Amino acid sequence: MGELQTLQQKINYDKTFDCVQCGYCLPACPTYETLEKETHSPRGRINLVKMVAEGKASVEDLEKPMEKCLGCMACTTVCPTNVQYGQILEGAKEVIEDHRVKSASRNRIEDFLFGSFFPSEKWMNTLGNLTWFYQRTGIQALANISRLTKLAPLHLDKFEKVIPKQPSPKERAQRMKRYIRKRPAQAKVAFFTGCVMDGVFFQTNQNTLELLLRFGFEVVIPEQQTCCGALHAHSGKVNDSIDLAKRNIVAFEEEEVDYIVNNAGGCGARMVEYHHLFKEGTSWHKRAKQFVSKIRDISEVLVEADGMFFNKSVDKTVTYQPSCHMTNVQKVKTPPLQLMKKVPGVKLKELARPDFCCGSAGIYNIVNYEDSMDILDLKMNDVCGTGSESVVTTNPGCLLQMKLGIEREGVSHTMNAVHLVDLLLEADPQQQ
């Protein structure tokens, strides 16, 4: 196979012909709205991919437009010809990664981050424990007073302020139960803990387990599970993503469960597409399809549970910021809204543009901070217009982004951001 043919195969050249350049995607694309350039629209990016695959443009020409893409997949929901934009995007990022020249130091950093840090429960727990130490000892307060946080790279000082309070190492160790049983059960589920969720939003994970138990589910937590691979795929490291997918498939195959439950929209979106990583007809494709058939967001299983009632009224006005990956990839739209409407005292106000991305998109808000903030500002205008006291989300990236947006708007005294799980547990649900 020639070099150009190999490039065309990797970049999914054949799928670009499904795009008829109609422009339906333009008003759905956040980066087209904020950057106002055709090259930062879905059809513009697809055209660039086609040109690169035909040798009419260089891979370098593709790099910036693709890196500016949020990967929110809003374009796919309005596309009349069902263009597989996600697969084109991942193929383009893989090609960009293959052609990128990096220093030895950058390679070492990336090898650590993608090969050791994110897939490791040990490292995630260490991150949580170090964050607890930073918060608990007063170092955080001192760093902010002395403005030392301004020295942090990649605008990380902005995110440092909105990271939730962490449990102590002792609390983390005591509450990290590996197998949790409850009988009689509505169903047996396996819980996907996630890397960022378990490291940074540990309490929300614990609350998820508590909710599942209260709603009558038997829960197991496979010990060999690992990172979903989303961050790897978004960074063009497709082979690493495939390896992680295989590890998760093997880990969850060992448990006879009805569902594999997650509480992170981005992780769920990655896992429901595992079968696309393997060639049809292979054993891995068959195993991946079986795995995918069991994937459920936490809201999907809770909304179907029988005999639930809430003991406590949560008297507040809330608005729901849907995760793009839940809406556009997992196609989970109504279950979170149904659950919120069941909570006594909650007054739900819908956003004017609920499907508009918040600008988080994995680590997009770190590597493309200014562009992300332009998108976030548009989202916060919508959020603040609802007059809500809480913004409810279903994804860790969205949750941090909304917390940051609240800080940027200076409304933290009247508004907060919470995960759907935490809101539901606040209402003290019980099974009849």
Side-chain angles (χ1 to χ4, degrees), residues 19-64:
C19 177
V20 295
Q21 299 286 302
C22 66
Y24 275 90
C25 59
L26 300 184
C29 179
T31 54
Y32 181 72
E33 182 169 336
T34 55
L35 296 173
E36 299 180 328
K37 290 183 178 180
E38 179 70 19
T39 51
H40 295 308
S41 72
R43 74 174 183 184
R45 293 179 175 111
I46 290 171
N47 190 53
L48 269 175
V49 167
K50 185 179 290 187
M51 291 174 67
V52 170
E54 293 172 351
K56 299 174 183 177
S58 68
V59 174
E60 288 72 24
D61 295 327
L62 192 60
E63 189 168 342
K64 188 172 181 180

Side-chain angles (χ1 to χ4, degrees), residues 309-315 342-345 424-429:
F309 68 95
F310 294 94
N311 290 312
K312 183 181 175 183
S313 179
V314 181
D315 299 318
K342 289 183 179 181
V343 177
L424 294 175
L425 194 61
E426 185 181 349
D428 191 20

Side-chain angles (χ1 to χ4, degrees), residues 386-403:
T386 66
S388 298
E389 299 164 79
S390 289
V391 187
V392 182
T393 73
T394 52
N395 187 55
C398 298
L399 186 50
L400 279 179
Q401 186 81 335
M402 298 316 299
K403 286 177 177 288

Side-chain angles (χ1 to χ4, degrees), residues 164-412:
K165 297 297 181 184
Q166 297 297 304
S168 70
K170 182 178 180 181
E171 291 173 312
R172 188 179 288 269
Q174 286 176 341
R175 305 179 83 170
M176 185 64 77
K177 297 177 181 177
R178 278 299 162 208
Y179 290 89
I180 303 170
R181 306 285 184 186
K182 185 176 179 69
R183 296 182 187 275
Q186 302 215 31
K188 183 179 179 182
V189 304
F191 179 51
F192 180 78
T193 57
C195 46
V196 175
M197 282 302 302
D198 220 34
V200 181
F201 294 98
F202 179 80
Q203 189 56 54
T204 298
N205 264 7
Q206 296 299 317
N207 289 348
T208 300
L209 295 172
E210 179 67 23
L211 275 180
L212 286 168
L213 294 175
R214 289 196 188 193
F215 275 61
F217 293 95
E218 179 184 352
V219 186
V220 296
I221 308 175
E223 292 192 39
Q224 300 305 313
Q225 64 178 293
T226 186
C227 174
C228 69
L231 292 177
H232 301 72
H234 297 336
S235 301
K237 301 179 183 299
V238 174
N239 289 334
D240 291 342
S241 181
I242 292 172
D243 289 340
L244 292 170
K246 287 181 176 179
R247 287 169 59 184
N248 277 324
I249 291 168
V250 170
F252 284 89
E253 280 178 340
E254 295 177 0
E255 302 289 351
E256 293 291 332
V257 296
D258 300 295
Y259 305 119
I260 299 169
V261 177
N262 73 90
N263 60 6
C267 295
R270 185 61 191 169
M271 292 190 293
V272 298
E273 295 196 325
Y274 272 3
H275 56 301
H276 292 313
L277 299 175
F278 307 102
K279 187 176 180 180
E280 287 191 34
T282 64
S283 62
W284 274 113
H285 183 262
K286 182 179 179 181
R287 293 167 72 178
K289 286 192 73 174
Q290 182 65 22
F291 176 90
V292 167
S293 71
K294 296 183 178 182
I295 296 295
R296 297 291 188 279
D297 180 73
I298 179 69
S299 63
E300 292 182 279
V301 296
L302 294 186
V303 81
E304 294 179 1
D306 298 324
M308 288 305 302
F309 68 95
F310 294 94
N311 290 312
K312 183 181 175 183
S313 179
V314 181
D315 299 318
K316 61 176 67 173
T317 301
V318 307
T319 192
Y320 175 51
Q321 159 56 28
S323 157
C324 292
H325 288 106
M326 264 185 66
T327 300
N328 302 323
V329 182
Q330 295 190 71
K331 308 299 182 184
V332 178
K333 299 180 181 181
T334 59
L337 294 169
Q338 290 174 290
L339 287 169
M340 282 184 275
K341 288 175 181 177
K342 289 183 179 181
V343 177
V346 165
K347 183 179 180 182
L348 182 62
K349 288 195 173 183
E350 188 173 352
L351 294 169
R353 301 175 68 186
D355 296 333
F356 188 80
C357 185
C358 69
S360 172
I363 57 172
Y364 186 96
N365 53 359
I366 295 175
V367 298
N368 293 293
Y369 178 79
E370 298 297 341
D371 297 313
S372 173
M373 292 304 103
D374 288 341
I375 294 166
L376 176 59
D377 288 343
L378 291 175
K379 171 60 70 175
M380 289 309 299
N381 286 338
D382 195 354
V383 168
C384 292
T386 66
S388 298
E389 299 164 79
S390 289
V391 187
V392 182
T393 73
T394 52
N395 187 55
C398 298
L399 186 50
L400 279 179
Q401 186 81 335
M402 298 316 299
K403 286 177 177 288
L404 182 58
I406 289 169
E407 285 289 327
R408 283 170 61 86
E409 293 293 322
V411 293
S412 57

